[in-house]
Amino acid sequence: VQLVESGGGLVQPGGSLRLSCVGSGFTFSRFVMRWYRQAPGKERELVADILSAGGGTNYADSVKGRFTISRDNAKNTVYLQMNNLKPEDTAVYFCKAAAPSRPLYYWGQGTQVTVSS
């Protein structure tokens, strides 16, 4: 099982990035996919999630209206489009796959996002 994130980097405030997370070794389409982030000295927090079927989504209040989560089950990929980035969005971003109806989770290794002028 693997989850591999990409797309992080350094961006100026107000800029945009799109993160990708590719899953393998499990039935991607059946899993709820989530993006978390962890800033230095802070706890990991849930940013957004998307259901396996139908694509229902939820967002943390801090990113509503700026971030969009989406998935392409044919490509085993979940995305996080991040617009109007702020310095407080600086963190390592992780994707997580959560199995339906049982406590089975997979994590990616994370990708660094730094928002700074």
Side-chain angles (χ1 to χ4, degrees), residues 32-36 46-52 55-60 63 68-71 78-80 96 98:
V32 176
M33 296 302 298
R34 299 186 170 120
W35 284 100
Y36 287 77
L46 178 63
V47 174
D49 61 25
I50 184 166
L51 300 181
S52 56
T57 59
N58 293 287
Y59 297 93
V63 306
T68 303
I69 188 171
S70 61
R71 66 191 295 161
V78 61
Y79 304 98
L80 186 68
K96 176 183 177 182

Side-chain angles (χ1 to χ4, degrees), residues 1-85:
V1 173
Q2 265 196 320
L3 287 172
V4 180
E5 300 100 331
S6 62
L10 173 64
V11 64
Q12 292 186 343
S16 298
L17 284 173
R18 188 176 82 153
L19 306 183
S20 300
C21 172
V22 180
S24 61
F26 63 103
T27 309
F28 181 90
S29 61
R30 295 182 181 176
F31 281 62
V32 176
M33 296 302 298
R34 299 186 170 120
W35 284 100
Y36 287 77
R37 67 186 181 187
Q38 188 166 20
K42 294 189 176 181
E43 293 187 356
R44 194 170 295 190
E45 63 171 346
L46 178 63
V47 174
D49 61 25
I50 184 166
L51 300 181
S52 56
T57 59
N58 293 287
Y59 297 93
D61 287 344
S62 58
V63 306
K64 279 181 182 176
R66 300 188 298 122
F67 290 11
T68 303
I69 188 171
S70 61
R71 66 191 295 161
D72 184 340
N73 289 336
K75 296 182 178 180
N76 286 1
T77 302
V78 61
Y79 304 98
L80 186 68
Q81 178 66 45
M82 306 185 295
N83 298 328
N84 191 22
L85 282 160

